[in-house]
Amino acid sequence: MSQNNDTRLLKFTLAVYAIMVLIYGFGYMLIPGVMVNMAGGQPLYHGWLRWAGAVLIALGIGSILTYRNPQHQGIFITVLILGCLFTSICLFYNLYSPEEGAYWWFPATPATATLVMAILFRLGSIKAKDVLYPE
């Protein structure tokens, strides 16, 4: 099998993930107040959201770099799988114990998206194992 076929699912997932985290990252870094208002949550210190937005942007850039050259990037993909899985768990927990006045759809959308991303990253990493972890 060619390397291109082995990495097709992984590269698709990296592209979708990069777009998703860059949108959320720039939103939380540049307009955190708008993001909180969209969620219907209580006001909070924006610094807590700005730094998280910056981390999301860094993950998006890392995803773009990995998309361009996935060779030897198994550890980064594992980090993305775990990050998506843990994010999904946290956001689904928010649905179980919502903040008063918050909209249920705001955590439900990224919770579902990050769970799907974790699954796609895992499937893509299995298929691209020889590229991510060459001997």
Side-chain angles (χ1 to χ4, degrees):
M1 239 187 235
S2 72
Q3 178 177 334
N4 192 30
N5 286 337
D6 291 345
T7 61
R8 188 174 295 151
L9 176 60
L10 182 64
K11 284 187 167 190
F12 169 78
T13 308
L14 282 165
V16 172
Y17 178 80
I19 292 167
M20 183 176 71
V21 296
L22 288 171
I23 289 171
Y24 275 95
F26 280 112
Y28 283 124
M29 191 172 86
L30 300 175
I31 53 170
V34 172
M35 299 293 282
V36 171
N37 288 339
M38 284 176 52
Q42 301 298 318
L44 67 136
Y45 173 61
H46 291 167
W48 293 114
L49 296 176
R50 289 189 199 283
W51 77 265
V55 171
L56 289 174
I57 292 168
L59 288 171
I61 293 169
S63 298
I64 293 167
L65 295 174
T66 302
Y67 177 91
R68 293 177 65 205
N69 184 13
Q71 191 87 11
H72 298 279
Q73 297 300 319
I75 293 171
F76 183 70
I77 298 301
T78 301
V79 168
L80 294 181
I81 292 168
L82 293 173
C84 287
L85 182 62
F86 296 153
T87 299
S88 182
I89 291 168
C90 292
L91 292 170
F92 276 121
Y93 180 76
N94 281 349
L95 292 173
Y96 175 72
S97 63
E99 179 181 331
E100 188 174 324
Y103 303 119
W104 68 269
W105 59 267
F106 200 79
T109 303
T112 305
T114 54
L115 180 60
V116 169
M117 291 282 104
I119 293 167
L120 290 175
F121 272 131
R122 183 62 183 133
L123 294 173
S125 70
I126 291 169
K127 192 165 185 176
K129 185 176 89 170
D130 293 337
V131 174
L132 296 173
Y133 300 102
E135 300 205 15

